[in-house]
Amino acid sequence: MAEARAQEARRVPAPTMSHPFTSGTRAHALRLRPGQDLRQELQAYAQAHHLRAAAVLTTVGSLTTVALRLANQEGATTRHGHFEIVALSGTVSVNGSHLHLAVSDSTGHTFGGHLLDGCRVYTTAEIVLTELPELDFTRPPDAVTTYQELRIERAVKSGK
């Protein structure tokens, strides 16, 4: 048994963690209004405020339409009704964002996945973002996963 585990360990490369980075933070608080698209507005906010590295700190609110890519699925799953935002998490950057959303329906059934365009605010979405001004998030293609994965680098200081 131990030999089998040792052989398996030799076949599968051990996961590696990128070098940890630290940064001071600056908070951004915003409120989305009825009908606004959650993902599009977050990306527009990142563009307008030149957010090169940020994370979602907290979000509460409600949606009438939810559009998600569920785990290991290719296309979108869209649902209409009234949904409470239970959680929104992820990274936000002018270079691309990666966001996951969990919502619950009127029976308390909760589901979630990768946030897509098309999630429409019902009454409000109150969002607090944490900007990491000393970092820069980019999303180059990863040779192993073939997806555009997060690359964290030190921000380049402008000569102003």
Side-chain angles (χ1 to χ4, degrees), residues 139-157:
R139 297 202 158 274
D142 183 275
V144 176
T145 69
T146 70
Y147 293 107
Q148 292 180 317
E149 302 288 8
L150 180 67
R151 178 186 295 158
I152 306 164
E153 298 175 319
R154 286 263 159 233
V156 177
K157 302 286 183 192

Side-chain angles (χ1 to χ4, degrees), residues 10-160:
R10 286 191 292 270
R11 281 195 296 266
V12 179
T16 59
M17 181 174 34
S18 65
H19 181 278
F21 291 88
T22 60
S23 175
T25 62
R26 188 170 84 182
H28 295 254
L30 59 146
R31 176 182 174 224
L32 303 185
R33 301 195 177 274
Q36 289 186 290
D37 184 292
L38 182 59
R39 187 177 188 296
Q40 289 177 7
E41 294 297 330
L42 280 170
Q43 202 58 46
Y45 187 89
Q47 295 292 335
H49 294 85
H50 311 288
L51 300 181
R52 300 205 49 87
V56 177
L57 181 61
T58 188
T59 303
V60 295
S62 58
L63 303 171
T64 56
T65 303
V66 175
L68 301 171
R69 184 178 50 77
L70 304 179
N72 205 34
Q73 301 298 309
E74 290 294 320
T77 295
T78 303
R79 297 187 185 166
H80 302 279
H82 293 102
F83 306 94
E84 290 292 330
I85 298 171
V86 176
L88 176 65
S89 62
T91 54
V92 177
S93 171
V94 295
N95 298 311
S97 300
H98 186 179
L99 297 160
H100 288 192
L101 174 71
V103 296
S104 64
D105 65 17
S106 62
T107 67
H109 174 78
T110 302
F111 59 97
H114 186 88
L115 178 67
L116 300 175
D117 289 352
C119 292
R120 296 286 174 189
V121 173
Y122 176 42
T123 59
T124 191
E126 301 165 9
I127 304 163
V128 179
L129 300 174
T130 301
E131 181 182 6
L132 306 162
E134 297 164 33
L135 302 180
D136 192 10
F137 292 168
T138 58
R139 297 202 158 274
D142 183 275
V144 176
T145 69
T146 70
Y147 293 107
Q148 292 180 317
E149 302 288 8
L150 180 67
R151 178 186 295 158
I152 306 164
E153 298 175 319
R154 286 263 159 233
V156 177
K157 302 286 183 192
S158 62
K160 292 181 181 179

